[in-house]
Amino acid sequence: MKSSLETLKPRISVAPMMDWTTKDYRFFARLFNPNVVLYTEMVTTGAILFGDAKRHLDYSHEEHPIVLQLGGSNPKDLAECTKMAQDWGYDEVNLNVGCPSDRVQNNKIGACLMAEPDLVAECIAQMQQVVDIPVHVKHRIGIDEMQSYDEMLNFVDTVAKTGCRHFVVHARIAILKGLSPKENREIPPLRYEDVYRLKQERPNLYIEINGGIKSVAETQQHLQHVDGVMIGREAYHNPYLLAELGQLWNLTPPDRFEIMHKMLPYIEQRLAEGAPLSIITRHILGLFQNLPGARKWRQALSGGNAKTLHDIDRALHQMAESLSRRDTVSIEQSV
């Protein structure tokens, strides 16, 4: 099924990240770039079907384009949740076949499913049958002893027989026995060439690459070989990268202070709903990453130091003064 978002060429996405890509972060991220595709955290089928579905599925209209990532391996449950996602207004649904944590493995979720391509294909087939929106897969290039390119290709080909044509590929294997999730993001080497080869040998598939991508230049390099780029932790720690990526669509990058002034009414609304300020401010710590005063900004907003909107406003003024002093010094030195 053709993705309705493929018209956003190039396709740049922010990866689904547990505890990070919450609705508060996604609202913040959207302020940097209107075209970047945002993903929810992985939400398990059990959490939706037997928990608080509204809490897991609700989002702000401004977050579009937005993709719900599901975790699960029961085709019927996945299909039911996919239908709910369409009814909720999500643009696409993605199945997690990449998470390496012990917790999800024990529930037959995530990267361990790469060893069962027929089951993944059955899941995707049933998910596609109940909706009109695109359904796709995010997976690794391999797991444990299943590390060869041919084994990954067999996985992709098996799933593609369902009509699924969009694959988001994390260019590292996952070692499910012996490495932590953090180690699985760092220790297995990146094999971008495997993802490039997949696109070359399966040109009819829409291939999006993920893993270790940190700059506009790296993004542009990957786009010479694949259809899309998914950026993970760098988009969280240094969110202004999303603004810099706007040049791919000839967008003028927004000012960081303008972004915060647009964020403040949202924060006020969330506080009125009863949300603690700290669960929101943790997502905006990287706003001034790599600029003078960034450390003081982080200190002012972290560890419970910011208790009111006034505290955020004061930290903004301090950042403005810090940058103003830097500009003054630069002018004086150039005279």
Side-chain angles (χ1 to χ4, degrees):
M1 183 181 295
K2 183 176 177 62
S3 171
S4 60
L5 303 186
E6 287 179 20
T7 55
L8 282 178
K9 294 184 178 180
R11 177 169 172 138
I12 308 296
S13 304
V14 176
M17 294 176 280
M18 293 297 292
D19 299 323
W20 287 15
T21 50
T22 67
K23 65 179 183 179
D24 296 325
Y25 168 77
R26 296 192 306 263
F27 185 94
F28 180 56
R30 176 58 66 221
L31 298 175
F32 292 86
N33 190 315
N35 291 340
V36 167
V37 179
L38 301 176
Y39 277 65
T40 68
E41 308 166 85
M42 180 189 71
V43 185
T44 65
T45 55
I48 294 173
L49 298 176
F50 308 111
D52 187 344
K54 185 176 180 355
R55 181 172 73 85
H56 291 295
L57 295 177
D58 270 0
Y59 59 89
S60 302
H61 175 75
E62 292 85 351
E63 294 172 42
H64 286 289
I66 182 171
V67 181
L68 173 68
Q69 188 185 64
L70 289 173
S73 57
N74 180 295
K76 179 177 177 296
D77 291 347
L78 283 165
E80 187 174 349
C81 291
T82 300
K83 180 63 168 64
M84 291 175 69
Q86 177 171 275
D87 294 344
W88 230 272
Y90 281 91
D91 296 290
E92 297 175 352
V93 173
N94 178 269
L95 178 62
N96 185 316
V97 188
C99 182
S101 80
D102 293 337
R103 180 167 59 89
V104 298
Q105 285 182 61
N106 293 336
N107 291 305
K108 209 172 184 180
I109 298 171
C112 62
L113 288 173
M114 284 203 72
E116 300 188 57
D118 289 332
L119 174 58
V120 174
E122 183 183 353
C123 291
I124 292 296
Q126 292 201 30
M127 293 164 74
Q128 290 179 139
Q129 286 173 7
V130 297
V131 295
D132 299 318
I133 59 174
V135 176
H136 44 78
V137 179
K138 183 175 188 291
H139 62 92
R140 294 275 182 146
I141 58 172
I143 56 170
D144 296 334
E145 292 80 26
M146 179 185 159
Q147 298 186 16
S148 72
Y149 171 81
D150 287 340
E151 287 169 306
M152 177 185 72
L153 184 62
N154 175 66
F155 171 84
V156 171
D157 283 345
T158 302
V159 177
K161 288 176 182 176
T162 67
C164 177
R165 63 184 299 272
H166 184 169
F167 294 81
V168 185
V169 190
H170 187 150
R172 285 188 175 94
I173 65 165
I175 305 298
L176 304 180
K177 302 168 186 175
L179 292 184
S180 69
K182 182 177 186 297
E183 290 169 332
N184 266 305
R185 293 192 300 268
E186 299 169 351
I187 293 177
L190 286 159
R191 287 164 37 189
Y192 294 138
E193 64 278 4
D194 282 13
V195 188
Y196 297 167
R197 182 180 171 187
L198 176 64
K199 176 59 186 178
Q200 191 173 35
E201 295 185 0
R202 298 294 183 268
N204 60 309
L205 298 180
Y206 194 90
I207 304 300
E208 190 171 352
I209 196 168
N210 170 234
I213 303 163
K214 297 183 178 180
S215 69
V216 175
E218 291 173 9
T219 300
Q220 291 172 320
Q221 170 62 29
H222 289 303
L223 288 172
Q224 295 179 29
H225 303 278
V226 294
D227 300 298
V229 173
M230 175 178 279
I231 300 174
R233 278 156 175 74
E234 190 67 18
Y236 189 88
H237 294 305
N238 178 25
Y240 201 73
L241 172 60
L242 301 178
E244 294 170 341
L245 286 164
Q247 66 186 263
L248 299 176
W249 299 275
N250 297 315
L251 300 176
T252 301
D255 177 80
R256 288 176 172 87
F257 291 95
E258 291 177 3
I259 287 172
M260 259 326 291
H261 285 303
K262 290 179 180 178
M263 186 68 183
L264 289 174
Y266 173 82
I267 296 176
E268 188 171 18
Q269 175 189 328
R270 291 284 286 128
L271 294 178
E273 293 170 356
L277 184 58
S278 60
I279 73 166
I280 305 169
T281 54
R282 69 188 180 97
H283 298 302
I284 64 178
L285 298 180
L287 175 61
F288 295 100
Q289 186 79 355
N290 303 321
L291 292 182
R295 184 178 179 184
K296 288 185 177 180
W297 167 260
R298 292 193 298 270
Q299 290 174 337
L301 299 187
S302 60
N305 291 330
K307 296 179 173 56
T308 65
L309 286 175
H310 178 71
D311 294 328
I312 297 177
D313 193 54
R314 183 167 60 244
L316 275 173
H317 279 90
Q318 289 174 344
M319 273 303 306
E321 290 174 3
S322 177
L323 294 174
S324 176
R325 283 197 297 271
R326 179 201 61 171
D327 293 341
T328 301
V329 170
S330 298
I331 292 170
E332 290 174 349
Q333 288 175 344
S334 65
V335 172

